[in-house]
Amino acid sequence: MNMLPVGKNAPFVLAGVRDVVQVSQLTGPSSPNKTGRFEVAGQDLGSMFEAGGETWFVFGDTFGTRTPGMTGGGGGDLRSNTLAYTTDKDPTNGITLDGYVVDGTGSAKELLPAKRFDDVEITVIPTYGFAANGAMYLDYMSVKYWESGTEWETNYSGLAKSTDGGETWTKLAAPRWPGNGNFIQVSVAKADGDLYFWGVTHGRLGGVQLMKVRERDVEMQGAYRYFTGLSADGAPRWSASMSAAKTIVDGTVGELSVVWNSYLDRWLMTYSDGGSAYSDGACATAAIREAAAPWGPWSDAKTLVSAEFPGIYAPYMLPEYTTNNGRTIYFTLSKWGPYNVFWYRADLVKKGDG
């Protein structure tokens, strides 16, 4: 994506989705990928990015052993984060993982260490990855403690970098964002030489803000610019001050993903709706919105997927995983019950198309 895609302004064109189908299970010993061979019995998240001709799947807390029938995170052999990769370009029948980044025993390796002390740093969760300047980056949050299913306390968010194809990672001293800010969990897209970061706060109880940086300056804290609104002629305005950032989506947004969709000629945003969360963790609803420009205006939320207790979360898209000229989107989705990641598809319904 070389130029910044901006579709036509109002009216919104997304009528909703239909034919939402679980295609396959992505992770877990019983999945087609049989991830138990990498000591992965349960894990969540699964955001995706392209680097080095491969698609990388970024996972959160990963457990090597779990009690049958267990709900939510937990088990033995905890790793705070793991990374899998694939060369599979066909999303229609599920994704075949080529492997994980592993340690000397062949077990999926923890990439970013955590102190593992409650009220200090209980875990380190990567929220999105991207490639820039020939390197790989993970945006991660340092979680101080889990407060509830919709809110957690974080120390900060920051970037980690790999220059050896994902084998080893270094947490960068900068840039970093404060734990009470609005860029704790992000989605990242590259356009016209810039990296755009849509961000939400520590949990699922707030809205979305937007920042950008030139790709070449991604490691420079002072180079980031925060969206503050539109000028009289409709042009976006940017500020060097994070405190000046404007909320572009009101709501209860968690684990978000933003991509350009050629079928709608719009940006799509999917996320966990914290307003539908069950008390112990996941949500009843994953939502979808559209916008002509990265800064909006964004449409009202529509239901992407709904689920009964114990719930779902983290619907992540990748631009390359679409079919039917962008009409059919594919995405990962975490289920709190088996605590694993699944592969879904949905057809977008454009207004006027029937």
Side-chain angles (χ1 to χ4, degrees):
M1 187 182 297
N2 296 319
M3 299 300 293
L4 175 64
V6 177
K8 297 179 181 178
N9 287 325
F12 294 118
V13 298
L14 179 63
V17 298
R18 65 185 170 203
D19 297 330
V20 180
V21 177
Q22 178 182 302
V23 178
S24 181
Q25 185 170 339
L26 185 67
T27 69
S30 63
S31 73
N33 287 306
K34 301 187 184 305
T35 60
R37 59 199 169 109
F38 300 104
E39 302 301 325
V40 175
Q43 60 185 174
D44 67 352
L45 303 184
S47 64
M48 299 166 278
F49 70 102
E50 295 280 316
E54 296 170 311
T55 301
W56 298 82
F57 287 78
V58 185
F59 299 107
D61 284 335
T62 298
F63 299 90
T65 61
R66 283 173 58 80
T67 303
M70 187 176 183
T71 296
D77 189 17
L78 169 64
R79 285 138 290 164
S80 287
N81 42 78
T82 54
L83 190 61
Y85 55 91
T86 184
T87 53
D88 190 349
K89 303 299 183 183
D90 179 7
T92 59
N93 59 353
I95 296 297
T96 300
L97 298 177
D98 293 353
Y100 283 74
V101 177
V102 297
D103 61 19
T105 70
S107 174
K109 180 169 62 175
E110 181 177 82
L111 309 169
L112 310 178
K115 295 175 182 177
R116 300 248 211 286
F117 287 107
D118 205 6
D119 211 24
V120 176
E121 183 183 72
I122 192 64
T123 191
V124 170
I125 303 295
T127 65
Y128 232 81
F130 60 94
N133 308 312
M136 297 165 63
Y137 292 86
L138 292 175
D139 196 299
Y140 70 92
M141 59 180 175
S142 167
V143 180
K144 188 175 182 181
Y145 64 91
W146 299 114
E147 185 171 322
S148 70
T150 54
E151 186 174 16
W152 43 89
E153 291 299 317
T154 51
N155 297 301
Y156 65 90
S157 66
L159 297 183
K161 180 180 182 180
S162 174
T163 57
D164 59 4
E167 288 294 323
T168 59
W169 293 81
T170 301
K171 294 177 183 176
L172 303 181
R176 289 187 176 181
W177 293 269
N180 60 354
N182 217 89
F183 294 94
I184 299 302
Q185 303 171 83
V186 300
S187 176
V188 187
K190 187 187 300 186
D192 201 19
D194 286 327
L195 291 163
Y196 286 80
F197 295 71
W198 293 263
V200 297
T201 189
H202 48 100
R204 304 173 181 141
L205 293 178
V208 182
Q209 295 181 357
L210 176 67
M211 65 181 178
K212 70 172 184 174
V213 68
R214 297 299 289 176
E215 180 180 347
R216 64 175 180 268
D217 298 330
V218 68
E219 297 182 25
M220 297 175 57
Q221 184 90 51
Y224 285 76
R225 295 294 179 264
Y226 303 87
F227 176 74
T228 63
L230 299 176
S231 63
D233 63 357
R237 295 180 300 174
W238 305 89
S239 170
S241 172
M242 186 183 69
S243 62
K246 178 183 178 181
T247 297
I248 60 173
V249 172
D250 290 314
T252 48
V253 180
E255 296 97 24
L256 75 167
S257 180
V258 183
V259 301
W260 176 255
N261 180 267
S262 57
Y263 171 65
L264 295 179
D265 199 33
R266 290 288 189 275
W267 292 89
L268 291 180
M269 177 186 295
T270 54
Y271 60 91
S272 313
D273 182 2
S276 71
Y278 295 107
S279 60
D280 68 340
C283 301
T285 301
I288 186 168
R289 296 177 186 250
E290 61 160 312
W295 43 85
W298 286 88
S299 70
D300 291 338
K302 300 183 184 302
T303 297
L304 174 64
V305 185
S306 59
E308 301 294 331
F309 180 85
I312 55 174
Y313 59 109
Y316 292 116
M317 302 176 289
L318 186 74
E320 288 77 6
Y321 285 144
T322 63
T323 58
N324 300 327
N325 297 313
R327 184 170 190 162
T328 302
I329 62 172
Y330 293 80
F331 54 97
T332 56
L333 191 70
S334 295
K335 294 189 178 182
W336 191 237
Y339 193 73
N340 267 298
V341 182
F342 293 75
W343 191 243
Y344 269 71
R345 76 165 187 258
D347 286 340
L348 303 174
V349 180
K350 188 187 295 185
K351 291 180 179 178
D353 277 5

